[in-house]
């Protein structure tokens, strides 16, 4: 569990590792499904990935908002600031600046914003209209499942139930 792991996932990843060491594959799979349900119900601030923001001026592009190879959290921060300016919300919400901590979350594509991520400091303004495009599944995959899957694969476990099991 790293500092870049969302708060929601930290203790749950530790519990999953404990299950890998002491429980059965089926118990782990059942636990993962329970966590998935809770993840979708959690507050965005709990499941968004915390990151430090550095290089905003380096990656900023006046035409396309951000340049190629922009780190994901910086891309989302540049787009957040762009939306604040575009929607004239700079008096209501603060912009993200370099050397600041923020959180990012993936967006489903396609979407009207043509970006796959949004970064925010403490609150994601509802005025942006991005909430309905939040990609909970990708966020869950990358922040919770991926670390567990790496460990489970070593011992030959699958983290998802075999859907054909019991059909015949």
């Amino acid at each position: 569990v790293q500092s870049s792991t969302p708060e929601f996932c930290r203790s749950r990843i530790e519990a999953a590792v404990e299950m890998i060491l002491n429980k059965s594959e089926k118990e782990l799979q059942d636990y993962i499904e329970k966590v998935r349900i809770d993840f979708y119900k959690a507050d965005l601030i709990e499941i968004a990935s915390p990151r430090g923001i550095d290089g905003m001026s380096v990656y900023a592009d006046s035409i396309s908002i951000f340049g190629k190879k922009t780190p994901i959290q910086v891309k989302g921060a540049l787009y957040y600031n762009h939306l604040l300016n575009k929607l004239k919300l700079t008096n209501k919400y603060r912009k993200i600046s370099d050397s600041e901590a923020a959180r990012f979350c993936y967006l489903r594509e396609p979407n009207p914003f043509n970006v796959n991520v949004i970064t925010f400091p403490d609150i994601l303004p509802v005025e942006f209209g991005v909430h309905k495009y939040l990609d909970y599944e990708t966020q869950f995959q990358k922040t919770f499942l991926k670390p567990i899957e790496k460990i489970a694969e070593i011992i030959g476990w699958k983290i998802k139930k075999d859907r054909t099991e019991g059909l015949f």
Side-chain angles (χ1 to χ4, degrees), residues 6-168:
E7 192 65 39
F8 176 93
C9 298
R10 292 178 187 188
S11 62
R12 289 166 178 89
I13 289 172
E14 289 172 357
V17 171
E18 189 73 28
M19 292 186 102
I20 290 170
L21 296 173
N22 299 311
K23 304 277 182 168
S24 71
E25 182 178 14
K26 184 186 179 322
E27 287 173 297
L28 175 66
Q29 292 168 345
D30 291 343
Y31 177 71
I32 288 170
E33 285 309 307
K34 181 193 174 307
V35 171
R36 180 187 305 274
I37 291 165
D38 293 344
F39 189 90
Y40 274 73
K41 294 176 185 175
D43 287 334
L44 179 59
I45 198 84
E46 292 180 79
I47 64 166
S49 300
R51 293 289 194 291
I53 307 298
D54 288 312
M56 298 265 291
S57 60
V58 174
Y59 295 104
D61 186 288
S62 59
I63 298 168
S64 63
I65 304 168
F66 47 83
K68 291 183 180 181
K69 298 185 180 182
T70 301
I72 194 157
Q73 71 273 17
V74 176
K75 180 192 293 187
L78 288 167
Y79 200 76
Y80 173 91
N81 287 348
H82 167 75
L83 287 175
L84 284 182
N85 289 331
K86 181 179 176 183
L87 299 173
K88 298 176 177 46
L89 295 170
T90 53
N91 290 333
K92 188 172 181 181
Y93 302 100
R94 66 183 176 86
K95 284 186 169 185
I96 299 173
S97 56
D98 266 336
S99 303
E100 183 175 342
R103 299 171 185 279
F104 76 86
C105 192
Y106 293 93
L107 299 177
R108 286 189 322 272
E109 294 182 287
N111 63 56
F113 312 101
N114 295 316
V115 294
N116 67 337
V117 65
I118 190 72
T119 301
F120 56 97
D122 15 332
I123 189 167
L124 181 58
V126 73
E127 295 93 332
F128 286 3
V130 301
H131 286 81
K132 63 184 172 187
Y133 298 102
L134 294 174
D135 190 345
Y136 284 86
E137 187 56 31
T138 298
Q139 194 74 18
F140 183 72
Q141 294 278 335
K142 291 185 180 264
T143 61
F144 180 75
L145 282 185
K146 191 175 180 182
I148 296 167
E149 191 170 37
K150 287 179 181 179
I151 298 166
E153 279 178 355
I154 293 169
I155 60 170
W157 282 11
K158 294 179 183 173
I159 58 170
K160 292 182 182 174
K161 292 179 185 178
D162 185 357
R163 298 214 182 260
T164 61
E165 190 176 298
L167 290 178
F168 302 102

